[in-house]
Amino acid sequence: MVKSVIAQHVTKVYRMYQSTSQRLLDLLLPLRTGEEFYALRDVSFEADKGDVIGIVGLNGSGKSTLCNIIAGVIQPTAGEIHVDGQTSLVAIQAGLSTELTGRENIEQKCLMLGFSKKEIRELESEIVEFADIGPFIDQPVKNYSSGMRSRLGFAISVCVDPDVLVVDEALSVGDAVFSAKCMDKMNDFKRRGKTIFFISHSMAQVKSFCEKALWLDRGVVRAYGDVASVVPEYERFVKQNRASAP
Amino acid sequence: MAAVALVFREHLRNLYLIRRLSWFELKAETRKHYLGFFWEIFNPAVQICIYWFVFGVGIRASRTVEHVPYVLWISAGMVVWFFVNQAVLAASRSVFSRIRIVAKMNFPASIIPSYVIISKWYPHLVLTVLLLLWFSLRGYMPSLYLLQLPYFMFCLLLLLVAVSLITSTLSTVVRDVHMAVASLMRVLMYLTPVLWSPKGLGWLELAMKANPLYYVVEGYRAALFGDGWYFLQHARYTLYFWVVVAVLFLIGAVLHGKFRADLVDYA
């Protein structure tokens, strides 16, 4: 199998400071003062082409940080990540300019992703059709509902035909019809041998769609393997946590 | 040196991207208001009137500066100043306000301040043309010397890009830098010959000439009022200007290169 994503000992450290003066001192002096917070600690895994991997974990366990690292938005503090091909990140905050219209956002986003004038013209109609938000496509994005925004964001991210797709809880705001459409598109990606990372708190979605699962717990990989073995384990963990909570 | 080459390469390879993104930037900005682009012209006009009234009619009692009516003299300076002020402030916050949107490893981050500057350049271009029309009506017809205007505009753009590479990086790392830049701009207006001329004040004039904007403002005036080829008549000053731009650009490119990978974490 050809590997598409290889993460080796990926660690991301953020520093927490007691005060702003401490933050400034830390920046100016070579000594490191602030308390370290490990968003990810020594995360290693490999993904094959065509893998659909669900990333599960409680809030604050490092799921979004890992997604951002895979997408190349942020750099790991230590360790290495190799991604084969173009990645596309779908997040609820999809980075749309609210003053511009949907159509203008499509062009802007595609330009930023490095597409040429001609390619953008071809992509545009496909994206407009997929987003399917009617006349709103020529209205400023600030007038959109949250569902329309995520539709547009998702449409742009999938139509640029990435090799690796990272979906960060983006489907939770769309309606059932659109979710089904997204699932169809992602299944199509799966068939064409693309790698998909899928973050969701809905275990039903993860179980039905993903083949593998990566369970993160406070920045550490607790388990990585088949959905059938990892997800039930995670669900037991959640149940225990709920039982111990007052 | 690698950082300098990187910034150069990113700019040269992405000219189309810079053009489109600056256009979208301008669109997003003007669409916030019903009258849109009108305000880009109206605000400067009001401000010129105020300064002319306070400094021209009040304090200077309508005397001329260098044989030019005061109101025309400050207008030529103000048209530069508006562009500088808006471009520097917008470029200084350009990176930290956008890095989350554009943060993809293959996005050429160094062009962010540049396309924001270009978006402010369009209204400047329109204002300059309006100014030319007004000057013609007042008897200052365009002359051959107007040909140096594009040169000084180019000088100004490069100066702004060099300065903004520094300020946009530093203000992303420490947000307070942006506030410091804003205060500095208020002071700088009086240290640039926009409202008053330091000519004949000896050492003060020389000290103010250290500010590279002095060169640009005087160059604009020479072009608009048609009195001489400024950059040739002041060849040594021209050299000084380009050395300053080169040094600022070098500092900016090195800073940008140093923080580039971690800019998102600071945003």
PDB file of all heavy atoms in Angstrom, chain A residues 31-60:
ATOM      1  N   LEU A  31      15.537  32.464  27.435  1.00  0.00           N
ATOM      2  CA  LEU A  31      15.033  31.457  28.364  1.00  0.00           C
ATOM      3  C   LEU A  31      13.538  31.285  28.198  1.00  0.00           C
ATOM      4  O   LEU A  31      12.820  32.216  27.857  1.00  0.00           O
ATOM      5  CB  LEU A  31      15.374  31.837  29.817  1.00  0.00           C
ATOM      6  CG  LEU A  31      15.082  33.264  30.278  1.00  0.00           C
ATOM      7  CD1 LEU A  31      13.932  33.276  31.259  1.00  0.00           C
ATOM      8  CD2 LEU A  31      16.329  33.863  30.901  1.00  0.00           C
ATOM      9  N   ARG A  32      13.067  30.086  28.454  1.00  0.00           N
ATOM     10  CA  ARG A  32      11.651  29.783  28.268  1.00  0.00           C
ATOM     11  C   ARG A  32      10.972  29.720  29.627  1.00  0.00           C
ATOM     12  O   ARG A  32      11.271  28.851  30.435  1.00  0.00           O
ATOM     13  CB  ARG A  32      11.497  28.451  27.522  1.00  0.00           C
ATOM     14  CG  ARG A  32      11.962  28.536  26.080  1.00  0.00           C
ATOM     15  CD  ARG A  32      10.849  29.089  25.223  1.00  0.00           C
ATOM     16  NE  ARG A  32      11.333  29.501  23.918  1.00  0.00           N
ATOM     17  CZ  ARG A  32      11.642  30.765  23.616  1.00  0.00           C
ATOM     18  NH1 ARG A  32      11.543  31.714  24.516  1.00  0.00           N
ATOM     19  NH2 ARG A  32      12.047  31.080  22.410  1.00  0.00           N
ATOM     20  N   THR A  33      10.040  30.631  29.876  1.00  0.00           N
ATOM     21  CA  THR A  33       9.450  30.705  31.205  1.00  0.00           C
ATOM     22  C   THR A  33       8.078  30.049  31.295  1.00  0.00           C
ATOM     23  O   THR A  33       7.840  29.231  32.166  1.00  0.00           O
ATOM     24  CB  THR A  33       9.341  32.172  31.658  1.00  0.00           C
ATOM     25  OG1 THR A  33       8.773  32.926  30.602  1.00  0.00           O
ATOM     26  CG2 THR A  33      10.697  32.728  32.013  1.00  0.00           C
ATOM     27  N   GLY A  34       7.163  30.394  30.375  1.00  0.00           N
ATOM     28  CA  GLY A  34       5.775  29.965  30.499  1.00  0.00           C
ATOM     29  C   GLY A  34       5.600  28.464  30.695  1.00  0.00           C
ATOM     30  O   GLY A  34       6.449  27.660  30.315  1.00  0.00           O
ATOM     31  N   GLU A  35       4.479  28.108  31.271  1.00  0.00           N
ATOM     32  CA  GLU A  35       4.192  26.705  31.519  1.00  0.00           C
ATOM     33  C   GLU A  35       3.844  26.025  30.196  1.00  0.00           C
ATOM     34  O   GLU A  35       3.117  26.582  29.383  1.00  0.00           O
ATOM     35  CB  GLU A  35       3.000  26.618  32.470  1.00  0.00           C
ATOM     36  CG  GLU A  35       2.881  25.292  33.169  1.00  0.00           C
ATOM     37  CD  GLU A  35       1.629  25.254  34.031  1.00  0.00           C
ATOM     38  OE1 GLU A  35       1.276  26.293  34.630  1.00  0.00           O
ATOM     39  OE2 GLU A  35       1.005  24.187  34.074  1.00  0.00           O
ATOM     40  N   GLU A  36       4.371  24.836  29.988  1.00  0.00           N
ATOM     41  CA  GLU A  36       4.132  24.170  28.709  1.00  0.00           C
ATOM     42  C   GLU A  36       2.803  23.436  28.718  1.00  0.00           C
ATOM     43  O   GLU A  36       2.433  22.815  29.701  1.00  0.00           O
ATOM     44  CB  GLU A  36       5.261  23.177  28.422  1.00  0.00           C
ATOM     45  CG  GLU A  36       6.573  23.853  28.125  1.00  0.00           C
ATOM     46  CD  GLU A  36       7.640  22.857  27.732  1.00  0.00           C
ATOM     47  OE1 GLU A  36       7.521  21.687  28.161  1.00  0.00           O
ATOM     48  OE2 GLU A  36       8.571  23.247  27.020  1.00  0.00           O
ATOM     49  N   PHE A  37       2.099  23.543  27.594  1.00  0.00           N
ATOM     50  CA  PHE A  37       0.882  22.761  27.429  1.00  0.00           C
ATOM     51  C   PHE A  37       1.042  21.936  26.160  1.00  0.00           C
ATOM     52  O   PHE A  37       1.258  22.474  25.080  1.00  0.00           O
ATOM     53  CB  PHE A  37      -0.348  23.672  27.326  1.00  0.00           C
ATOM     54  CG  PHE A  37      -1.578  22.922  26.924  1.00  0.00           C
ATOM     55  CD1 PHE A  37      -2.217  22.106  27.842  1.00  0.00           C
ATOM     56  CD2 PHE A  37      -2.070  23.001  25.628  1.00  0.00           C
ATOM     57  CE1 PHE A  37      -3.345  21.396  27.479  1.00  0.00           C
ATOM     58  CE2 PHE A  37      -3.194  22.282  25.255  1.00  0.00           C
ATOM     59  CZ  PHE A  37      -3.828  21.480  26.184  1.00  0.00           C
ATOM     60  N   TYR A  38       0.964  20.605  26.331  1.00  0.00           N
ATOM     61  CA  TYR A  38       1.129  19.728  25.173  1.00  0.00           C
ATOM     62  C   TYR A  38      -0.217  19.491  24.519  1.00  0.00           C
ATOM     63  O   TYR A  38      -1.031  18.732  25.027  1.00  0.00           O
ATOM     64  CB  TYR A  38       1.745  18.398  25.599  1.00  0.00           C
ATOM     65  CG  TYR A  38       3.243  18.488  25.802  1.00  0.00           C
ATOM     66  CD1 TYR A  38       3.760  18.999  26.986  1.00  0.00           C
ATOM     67  CD2 TYR A  38       4.125  18.089  24.806  1.00  0.00           C
ATOM     68  CE1 TYR A  38       5.130  19.115  27.172  1.00  0.00           C
ATOM     69  CE2 TYR A  38       5.496  18.190  24.982  1.00  0.00           C
ATOM     70  CZ  TYR A  38       5.989  18.701  26.153  1.00  0.00           C
ATOM     71  OH  TYR A  38       7.333  18.825  26.331  1.00  0.00           O
ATOM     72  N   ALA A  39      -0.461  20.167  23.367  1.00  0.00           N
ATOM     73  CA  ALA A  39      -1.702  19.936  22.630  1.00  0.00           C
ATOM     74  C   ALA A  39      -1.627  18.568  21.955  1.00  0.00           C
ATOM     75  O   ALA A  39      -2.627  17.865  21.840  1.00  0.00           O
ATOM     76  CB  ALA A  39      -1.913  21.026  21.594  1.00  0.00           C
ATOM     77  N   LEU A  40      -0.428  18.200  21.522  1.00  0.00           N
ATOM     78  CA  LEU A  40      -0.187  16.866  20.960  1.00  0.00           C
ATOM     79  C   LEU A  40       1.149  16.389  21.517  1.00  0.00           C
ATOM     80  O   LEU A  40       2.094  17.161  21.608  1.00  0.00           O
ATOM     81  CB  LEU A  40      -0.101  16.904  19.432  1.00  0.00           C
ATOM     82  CG  LEU A  40      -1.370  17.219  18.649  1.00  0.00           C
ATOM     83  CD1 LEU A  40      -1.041  17.331  17.170  1.00  0.00           C
ATOM     84  CD2 LEU A  40      -2.427  16.157  18.859  1.00  0.00           C
ATOM     85  N   ARG A  41       1.206  15.120  21.898  1.00  0.00           N
ATOM     86  CA  ARG A  41       2.454  14.610  22.452  1.00  0.00           C
ATOM     87  C   ARG A  41       2.831  13.314  21.740  1.00  0.00           C
ATOM     88  O   ARG A  41       2.121  12.330  21.831  1.00  0.00           O
ATOM     89  CB  ARG A  41       2.281  14.373  23.955  1.00  0.00           C
ATOM     90  CG  ARG A  41       3.595  14.203  24.723  1.00  0.00           C
ATOM     91  CD  ARG A  41       3.315  13.627  26.091  1.00  0.00           C
ATOM     92  NE  ARG A  41       2.677  14.603  26.983  1.00  0.00           N
ATOM     93  CZ  ARG A  41       3.364  15.354  27.860  1.00  0.00           C
ATOM     94  NH1 ARG A  41       4.655  15.232  27.975  1.00  0.00           N
ATOM     95  NH2 ARG A  41       2.725  16.193  28.643  1.00  0.00           N
ATOM     96  N   ASP A  42       3.894  13.382  20.989  1.00  0.00           N
ATOM     97  CA  ASP A  42       4.468  12.196  20.362  1.00  0.00           C
ATOM     98  C   ASP A  42       3.432  11.388  19.573  1.00  0.00           C
ATOM     99  O   ASP A  42       3.265  10.192  19.797  1.00  0.00           O
ATOM    100  CB  ASP A  42       5.119  11.328  21.453  1.00  0.00           C
ATOM    101  CG  ASP A  42       6.133  10.362  20.847  1.00  0.00           C
ATOM    102  OD1 ASP A  42       6.593  10.612  19.715  1.00  0.00           O
ATOM    103  OD2 ASP A  42       6.447   9.358  21.509  1.00  0.00           O
ATOM    104  N   VAL A  43       2.750  12.050  18.668  1.00  0.00           N
ATOM    105  CA  VAL A  43       1.721  11.373  17.877  1.00  0.00           C
ATOM    106  C   VAL A  43       2.353  10.772  16.621  1.00  0.00           C
ATOM    107  O   VAL A  43       2.968  11.479  15.831  1.00  0.00           O
ATOM    108  CB  VAL A  43       0.602  12.362  17.478  1.00  0.00           C
ATOM    109  CG1 VAL A  43      -0.345  11.730  16.477  1.00  0.00           C
ATOM    110  CG2 VAL A  43      -0.147  12.821  18.714  1.00  0.00           C
ATOM    111  N   SER A  44       2.233   9.467  16.463  1.00  0.00           N
ATOM    112  CA  SER A  44       2.754   8.808  15.260  1.00  0.00           C
ATOM    113  C   SER A  44       1.666   7.922  14.669  1.00  0.00           C
ATOM    114  O   SER A  44       0.980   7.197  15.394  1.00  0.00           O
ATOM    115  CB  SER A  44       3.965   7.929  15.601  1.00  0.00           C
ATOM    116  OG  SER A  44       4.993   8.710  16.148  1.00  0.00           O
ATOM    117  N   PHE A  45       1.499   8.001  13.369  1.00  0.00           N
ATOM    118  CA  PHE A  45       0.586   7.080  12.693  1.00  0.00           C
ATOM    119  C   PHE A  45       0.873   7.143  11.203  1.00  0.00           C
ATOM    120  O   PHE A  45       1.564   8.058  10.726  1.00  0.00           O
ATOM    121  CB  PHE A  45      -0.881   7.425  12.978  1.00  0.00           C
ATOM    122  CG  PHE A  45      -1.314   8.741  12.424  1.00  0.00           C
ATOM    123  CD1 PHE A  45      -1.828   8.846  11.134  1.00  0.00           C
ATOM    124  CD2 PHE A  45      -1.201   9.898  13.191  1.00  0.00           C
ATOM    125  CE1 PHE A  45      -2.217  10.073  10.617  1.00  0.00           C
ATOM    126  CE2 PHE A  45      -1.588  11.128  12.680  1.00  0.00           C
ATOM    127  CZ  PHE A  45      -2.094  11.211  11.391  1.00  0.00           C
ATOM    128  N   GLU A  46       0.372   6.142  10.488  1.00  0.00           N
ATOM    129  CA  GLU A  46       0.514   6.158   9.041  1.00  0.00           C
ATOM    130  C   GLU A  46      -0.859   5.943   8.422  1.00  0.00           C
ATOM    131  O   GLU A  46      -1.666   5.196   8.960  1.00  0.00           O
ATOM    132  CB  GLU A  46       1.452   5.036   8.593  1.00  0.00           C
ATOM    133  CG  GLU A  46       2.883   5.278   9.014  1.00  0.00           C
ATOM    134  CD  GLU A  46       3.814   4.178   8.534  1.00  0.00           C
ATOM    135  OE1 GLU A  46       3.300   3.121   8.096  1.00  0.00           O
ATOM    136  OE2 GLU A  46       5.027   4.380   8.605  1.00  0.00           O
ATOM    137  N   ALA A  47      -1.095   6.604   7.308  1.00  0.00           N
ATOM    138  CA  ALA A  47      -2.373   6.409   6.614  1.00  0.00           C
ATOM    139  C   ALA A  47      -2.083   5.996   5.182  1.00  0.00           C
ATOM    140  O   ALA A  47      -1.220   6.576   4.523  1.00  0.00           O
ATOM    141  CB  ALA A  47      -3.183   7.695   6.636  1.00  0.00           C
ATOM    142  N   ASP A  48      -2.801   4.993   4.708  1.00  0.00           N
ATOM    143  CA  ASP A  48      -2.634   4.553   3.322  1.00  0.00           C
ATOM    144  C   ASP A  48      -3.532   5.372   2.420  1.00  0.00           C
ATOM    145  O   ASP A  48      -4.492   5.993   2.875  1.00  0.00           O
ATOM    146  CB  ASP A  48      -3.032   3.079   3.187  1.00  0.00           C
ATOM    147  CG  ASP A  48      -2.154   2.188   4.026  1.00  0.00           C
ATOM    148  OD1 ASP A  48      -0.951   2.471   4.121  1.00  0.00           O
ATOM    149  OD2 ASP A  48      -2.700   1.226   4.614  1.00  0.00           O
ATOM    150  N   LYS A  49      -3.223   5.305   1.134  1.00  0.00           N
ATOM    151  CA  LYS A  49      -4.125   5.943   0.165  1.00  0.00           C
ATOM    152  C   LYS A  49      -5.467   5.251   0.228  1.00  0.00           C
ATOM    153  O   LYS A  49      -5.530   4.022   0.267  1.00  0.00           O
ATOM    154  CB  LYS A  49      -3.537   5.800  -1.245  1.00  0.00           C
ATOM    155  CG  LYS A  49      -2.439   6.801  -1.469  1.00  0.00           C
ATOM    156  CD  LYS A  49      -2.393   7.270  -2.908  1.00  0.00           C
ATOM    157  CE  LYS A  49      -1.616   8.563  -2.978  1.00  0.00           C
ATOM    158  NZ  LYS A  49      -0.407   8.506  -3.738  1.00  0.00           N
ATOM    159  N   GLY A  50      -6.549   6.022   0.242  1.00  0.00           N
ATOM    160  CA  GLY A  50      -7.875   5.430   0.274  1.00  0.00           C
ATOM    161  C   GLY A  50      -8.403   5.153   1.668  1.00  0.00           C
ATOM    162  O   GLY A  50      -9.531   4.689   1.829  1.00  0.00           O
ATOM    163  N   ASP A  51      -7.618   5.466   2.676  1.00  0.00           N
ATOM    164  CA  ASP A  51      -8.089   5.286   4.053  1.00  0.00           C
ATOM    165  C   ASP A  51      -9.087   6.377   4.415  1.00  0.00           C
ATOM    166  O   ASP A  51      -8.921   7.533   4.022  1.00  0.00           O
ATOM    167  CB  ASP A  51      -6.914   5.403   5.030  1.00  0.00           C
ATOM    168  CG  ASP A  51      -6.271   4.057   5.286  1.00  0.00           C
ATOM    169  OD1 ASP A  51      -6.813   3.050   4.802  1.00  0.00           O
ATOM    170  OD2 ASP A  51      -5.231   4.028   5.965  1.00  0.00           O
ATOM    171  N   VAL A  52     -10.092   5.985   5.167  1.00  0.00           N
ATOM    172  CA  VAL A  52     -10.990   6.991   5.733  1.00  0.00           C
ATOM    173  C   VAL A  52     -10.866   6.866   7.239  1.00  0.00           C
ATOM    174  O   VAL A  52     -11.227   5.836   7.819  1.00  0.00           O
ATOM    175  CB  VAL A  52     -12.440   6.760   5.287  1.00  0.00           C
ATOM    176  CG1 VAL A  52     -13.340   7.820   5.881  1.00  0.00           C
ATOM    177  CG2 VAL A  52     -12.524   6.791   3.784  1.00  0.00           C
ATOM    178  N   ILE A  53     -10.290   7.867   7.848  1.00  0.00           N
ATOM    179  CA  ILE A  53      -9.934   7.764   9.258  1.00  0.00           C
ATOM    180  C   ILE A  53     -10.755   8.724  10.094  1.00  0.00           C
ATOM    181  O   ILE A  53     -10.765   9.941   9.842  1.00  0.00           O
ATOM    182  CB  ILE A  53      -8.428   8.062   9.446  1.00  0.00           C
ATOM    183  CG1 ILE A  53      -7.608   7.070   8.610  1.00  0.00           C
ATOM    184  CG2 ILE A  53      -8.049   8.001  10.916  1.00  0.00           C
ATOM    185  CD1 ILE A  53      -6.155   7.424   8.524  1.00  0.00           C
ATOM    186  N   GLY A  54     -11.476   8.195  11.046  1.00  0.00           N
ATOM    187  CA  GLY A  54     -12.228   9.046  11.964  1.00  0.00           C
ATOM    188  C   GLY A  54     -11.326   9.428  13.122  1.00  0.00           C
ATOM    189  O   GLY A  54     -10.621   8.583  13.666  1.00  0.00           O
ATOM    190  N   ILE A  55     -11.322  10.700  13.477  1.00  0.00           N
ATOM    191  CA  ILE A  55     -10.544  11.128  14.638  1.00  0.00           C
ATOM    192  C   ILE A  55     -11.531  11.415  15.750  1.00  0.00           C
ATOM    193  O   ILE A  55     -12.416  12.263  15.605  1.00  0.00           O
ATOM    194  CB  ILE A  55      -9.686  12.371  14.316  1.00  0.00           C
ATOM    195  CG1 ILE A  55      -8.745  12.057  13.151  1.00  0.00           C
ATOM    196  CG2 ILE A  55      -8.904  12.799  15.540  1.00  0.00           C
ATOM    197  CD1 ILE A  55      -7.856  13.200  12.739  1.00  0.00           C
ATOM    198  N   VAL A  56     -11.417  10.657  16.848  1.00  0.00           N
ATOM    199  CA  VAL A  56     -12.366  10.823  17.942  1.00  0.00           C
ATOM    200  C   VAL A  56     -11.638  11.222  19.210  1.00  0.00           C
ATOM    201  O   VAL A  56     -10.422  11.033  19.342  1.00  0.00           O
ATOM    202  CB  VAL A  56     -13.193   9.531  18.184  1.00  0.00           C
ATOM    203  CG1 VAL A  56     -14.025   9.200  16.964  1.00  0.00           C
ATOM    204  CG2 VAL A  56     -12.291   8.370  18.574  1.00  0.00           C
ATOM    205  N   GLY A  57     -12.359  11.801  20.132  1.00  0.00           N
ATOM    206  CA  GLY A  57     -11.777  12.233  21.398  1.00  0.00           C
ATOM    207  C   GLY A  57     -12.646  13.294  22.019  1.00  0.00           C
ATOM    208  O   GLY A  57     -13.478  13.893  21.352  1.00  0.00           O
ATOM    209  N   LEU A  58     -12.430  13.526  23.325  1.00  0.00           N
ATOM    210  CA  LEU A  58     -13.223  14.537  24.027  1.00  0.00           C
ATOM    211  C   LEU A  58     -12.772  15.930  23.579  1.00  0.00           C
ATOM    212  O   LEU A  58     -11.774  16.069  22.876  1.00  0.00           O
ATOM    213  CB  LEU A  58     -13.025  14.379  25.541  1.00  0.00           C
ATOM    214  CG  LEU A  58     -13.393  13.011  26.122  1.00  0.00           C
ATOM    215  CD1 LEU A  58     -13.046  12.965  27.593  1.00  0.00           C
ATOM    216  CD2 LEU A  58     -14.863  12.716  25.903  1.00  0.00           C
ATOM    217  N   ASN A  59     -13.496  16.954  24.031  1.00  0.00           N
ATOM    218  CA  ASN A  59     -13.081  18.331  23.728  1.00  0.00           C
ATOM    219  C   ASN A  59     -11.693  18.580  24.300  1.00  0.00           C
ATOM    220  O   ASN A  59     -11.376  18.147  25.401  1.00  0.00           O
ATOM    221  CB  ASN A  59     -14.044  19.353  24.383  1.00  0.00           C
ATOM    222  CG  ASN A  59     -15.384  19.373  23.670  1.00  0.00           C
ATOM    223  OD1 ASN A  59     -16.411  19.507  24.300  1.00  0.00           O
ATOM    224  ND2 ASN A  59     -15.362  19.235  22.373  1.00  0.00           N
ATOM    225  N   GLY A  60     -10.876  19.281  23.546  1.00  0.00           N
ATOM    226  CA  GLY A  60      -9.548  19.634  24.057  1.00  0.00           C
ATOM    227  C   GLY A  60      -8.548  18.501  24.001  1.00  0.00           C
ATOM    228  O   GLY A  60      -7.498  18.559  24.639  1.00  0.00           O
TER     229      GLY A  60
END
